[in-house]
Amino acid sequence: QRQLVESGGDLVQPGGSLTLSCAASGFTLRNYAIGWFRQAPGKEREGVSCISGQGGITYYADSVKGRFTISRDNAKNTVYLQMNSLKPEDTGIYYCAADSGIVLQDMCVKTRSRYWGQGTQVTVSS
């Protein structure tokens, strides 16, 4: 079955860095747009960053522009989110998701996707 597994979440101090990974099993990611989403306690899920199937188009939420970088290695069937200069407001459960044929802005802004991972916890606190 199709499955996405996130890893790399941790407790980190403000200003620190983390790299999240999203590995696919049961299917290949090369024809899928991939998105990273997060949900903080008491808040709605929001799109953080999304990337097109071949990596040619990317989207970032205004709150993370210049600090986060999304990338993909289709040969490894894995997508990454490099997070730098982390802030307490970045705290939340981070999910990756995959969908085919979707408009990238619909994925990230409307938080729509077909397949979802289980999430990994990121906590930014001193």
Side-chain angles (χ1 to χ4, degrees):
Q1 63 251 8
R2 294 176 174 85
Q3 188 173 350
L4 298 169
V5 179
E6 304 94 334
S7 62
D10 205 352
L11 171 65
V12 64
Q13 293 185 336
S17 298
L18 285 174
T19 299
L20 305 183
S21 298
C22 175
S25 62
F27 68 115
T28 57
L29 291 180
R30 62 181 180 181
N31 293 323
Y32 290 81
I34 303 295
W36 284 99
F37 305 83
R38 67 187 180 192
Q39 189 165 22
K43 298 182 66 177
E44 294 184 353
R45 183 179 62 205
E46 64 175 337
V48 176
S49 183
C50 296
I51 187 168
S52 61
Q54 302 306 311
I57 306 172
T58 57
Y59 171 90
Y60 296 92
D62 288 341
S63 60
V64 306
K65 285 182 179 177
R67 299 189 297 120
F68 291 10
T69 302
I70 190 170
S71 63
R72 63 190 301 158
D73 188 341
N74 286 339
K76 296 181 178 179
N77 220 28
T78 302
V79 179
Y80 307 94
L81 184 68
Q82 175 66 49
M83 305 186 294
N84 298 324
S85 302
L86 284 162
K87 304 174 181 179
E89 50 263 44
D90 294 318
T91 293
I93 302 174
Y94 282 68
Y95 303 88
C96 68
D99 206 345
S100 61
I102 192 171
V103 177
L104 207 63
Q105 287 188 342
D106 285 348
M107 171 179 264
C108 252
V109 175
K110 300 180 180 180
T111 66
R112 294 176 179 175
S113 192
R114 175 66 178 87
Y115 303 104
W116 293 84
Q118 85 289 348
T120 185
Q121 177 70 46
V122 173
T123 302
V124 185
S125 177
S126 60

